Amino acid sequence: MKQILVTGGTGFIGSHTCVELLEQGYQVIVIDNLCNSNAEVLNRIETITQQSVIFYQADLLDKVAIDAIFTKHDIEAVIHFAGLKAVGESTQIPLTYYHNNLTSTLLLLDVMAKHQVFNLVFSSSATVYGENNPIPYVEHFPLSSTSPYGRTKVMIEQFLQDAFVADSRWNVALLRYFNPVGAHPSGLIGEDPNGVPNNLMPYIAQVAVGKRDKLSVFGGDYPTHDGTGVRDYIHVVDLALGHIKALERLAKQTKTSIEAYNLGAGKGYSVLEVIAAFEKACGQPISYGIESRRAGDIAEFYADASKAKAKLEWQVSMNLDDMCRDAWKWQSENPNGFSEG
Ligand code: NAD
Ligand code: UD1
């Protein structure tokens, strides 16, 4: 049985990836400290798949605990999702972000090397393209970032490049996600942000379910077709499937490598188009007002997704309507996320 270690496996993207791994016959071991997730997700994963994951509530900064997990299990590959991810918060507590995201990754890599586990799929982000590259973003573009969060992604990519140059047993896929949204079609798992959502789709969903009064559209004067920001939204189940394709490629290729892949649809939608699609999905109007631009935002970005298509044999299968339908099902059936009441 192939054992895959999933760090951050109770989080939004990790939980959806666990479902797809289990459904494709992998045995899944999750490490998460639950700092931004809820253990209830494990029951939901079990309900969907009729299988269970092996779960360790542990902090990746606890090297002794991580080492013991590697000793106990025969791990073939690691998918490394664990990390703090809020751009705004990272500017408030940058050292916490650097410690949590960078130190934990260095400790994980050390333990992996000790146990001769060199297959790694890493959660990177489109944020590594910074703000000066032309669109669509292509993997070979120069990297930079505008926030401490984004810099942790750029730095971890660099750690892994350097590790590979020094020791070619490393075999790494750097997956640069565009804007993951939606939820599992069962409505049992989905995004469960703490407090006020930072991102567009969960905010719209909370307006639709009556938890927020109205959406602020950040900027109506961008040089885009309707003046609002354009992003490459990707259904989280499509994204999860991209991880399976990356694992398969690491397993089957005859020579190790480190490769970056954009995981996006290759198509952008504006904020107003997302609102319209969500209104269609939930059957009611979404109240919104156009306000000033959010600091740090850029007008438009989307992926050149051709490398993932050619090399991972992966492409998105779901469109914006599917994303809104599943986000609405999750939100309307779980208005308080994984918390009761
Ligand atoms: P998430 O917060 O839902 O999941 C991350 C998980 O990591 C959480 O369950 C959290 O409890 C856990 N975690 C954090 N620090 C930990 C530590 N030190 N030890 C153990 N567990 C720890 O986030 P997500 O949206 O599922 O994102 C997963 C990964 O993908 C992150 O690395 C994120 O930066 C990256 N990413 C996310 C997006 C997005 O829009 N969601 C976009 C690009 C990249
Ligand atoms: C944000 C992060 C980015 C991260 C990405 C992952 C910031 C500045 N950037 O990107 O680093 O990789 O999430 O998902 O946080 N919008 C509104 N009203 C809202 C929320 C958003 O109009 O309440 C607009 C934004 O201006 C943007 C679009 O909706 O045009 C998408 O925003 P969001 O979901 O926050 O994603 P990004 O800004 O692309």
Side-chain angles (χ1 to χ4, degrees):
M1 180 74 91
K2 301 173 199 160
Q3 292 202 311
I4 307 297
L5 177 69
V6 181
T7 77
T10 50
F12 172 45
I13 305 168
S15 57
H16 289 81
T17 304
C18 287
V19 166
E20 300 308 321
L21 285 167
L22 290 167
E23 288 190 339
Q24 300 209 16
Y26 291 91
Q27 191 170 352
V28 178
I29 301 161
V30 166
I31 298 178
D32 202 301
N33 64 3
L34 302 179
C35 72
N36 196 37
S37 52
N38 188 314
E40 168 61 15
V41 77
L42 297 163
N43 298 326
R44 305 289 182 95
I45 291 171
E46 206 168 316
T47 305
I48 295 169
T49 63
Q50 296 299 303
Q51 298 176 69
S52 46
V53 301
I54 300 164
F55 175 59
Y56 293 95
Q57 182 173 350
D59 197 309
L60 279 185
L61 292 165
D62 182 349
K63 191 176 179 184
V64 173
I66 306 309
D67 187 59
I69 294 165
F70 275 80
T71 302
K72 191 162 172 197
H73 297 280
D74 187 15
I75 295 167
E76 184 177 292
V78 176
I79 309 182
H80 180 32
F81 292 106
L84 299 174
K85 63 162 184 178
V87 174
E89 183 184 63
S90 80
T91 64
Q92 307 297 314
I93 47 168
L95 301 184
T96 302
Y97 268 67
Y98 288 128
H99 185 52
N100 191 73
N101 293 4
L102 300 182
T103 312
S104 64
T105 301
L106 290 173
L107 294 176
L108 173 69
L109 298 178
D110 206 26
V111 174
M112 287 176 68
K114 178 180 161 196
H115 291 269
Q116 312 258 322
V117 178
F118 291 101
N119 293 323
L120 176 67
V121 176
F122 173 63
S123 298
S124 190
S125 166
T127 194
V128 300
Y129 292 110
E131 50 188 0
N132 297 318
N133 279 310
I135 48 172
Y137 292 157
V138 188
E139 287 85 348
H140 61 74
F141 281 176
L143 306 187
S144 68
S145 203
T146 53
S147 71
Y149 163 72
R151 279 188 278 279
T152 70
K153 296 298 182 193
V154 175
M155 286 182 207
I156 293 170
E157 287 205 12
Q158 190 65 59
F159 293 170
L160 292 167
Q161 295 283 358
D162 291 345
F164 176 77
V165 170
D167 182 346
S168 62
R169 287 176 298 174
W170 284 106
N171 197 24
V172 180
L174 306 167
L175 303 185
R176 296 180 181 157
Y177 313 154
F178 280 67
N179 287 57
V181 297
H184 192 268
S186 64
L188 288 170
I189 58 173
E191 191 168 10
D192 184 15
N194 271 328
V196 183
N198 297 311
N199 298 113
L200 179 66
M201 186 74 87
Y203 203 108
I204 294 179
Q206 291 196 4
V207 173
V209 86
K211 289 183 83 172
R212 314 256 161 225
D213 288 343
K214 85 177 220 221
L215 171 78
S216 299
V217 174
F218 298 141
D221 57 353
Y222 282 111
T224 57
H225 63 276
D226 63 15
T228 65
V230 168
R231 297 290 184 274
D232 185 337
Y233 297 94
I234 170 174
H235 195 296
V236 64
V237 173
D238 274 333
L239 185 63
L241 291 168
H243 293 73
I244 313 259
K245 292 292 192 182
L247 278 181
E248 286 171 358
R249 180 161 173 103
L250 292 182
K252 77 178 176 211
Q253 63 190 6
T254 48
K255 201 167 173 295
T256 61
S257 66
I258 178 163
E259 290 283 347
Y261 301 97
N262 288 339
L263 295 188
K267 176 175 173 36
Y269 289 99
S270 73
V271 176
L272 295 182
E273 285 168 332
V274 176
I275 295 171
F278 207 97
E279 286 176 333
K280 194 165 92 183
C282 71
Q284 62 190 74
I286 301 293
S287 171
Y288 71 88
I290 308 263
E291 298 186 12
S292 48
R293 295 179 178 191
R294 178 172 67 179
D297 273 357
I298 57 177
E300 180 169 19
F301 64 79
Y302 51 89
D304 176 331
S306 54
K307 183 175 174 186
K309 186 173 180 193
K311 294 201 161 185
L312 300 181
E313 296 169 6
W314 171 91
Q315 61 186 321
V316 299
S317 64
M318 285 183 269
N319 62 26
L320 184 61
D321 289 338
D322 301 320
M323 300 176 214
C324 293
R325 178 199 63 216
D326 293 338
W328 174 239
K329 182 171 170 67
W330 157 250
Q331 182 71 67
S332 56
E333 293 179 6
N334 306 266
N336 297 310
F338 293 108
S339 319
E340 290 174 30

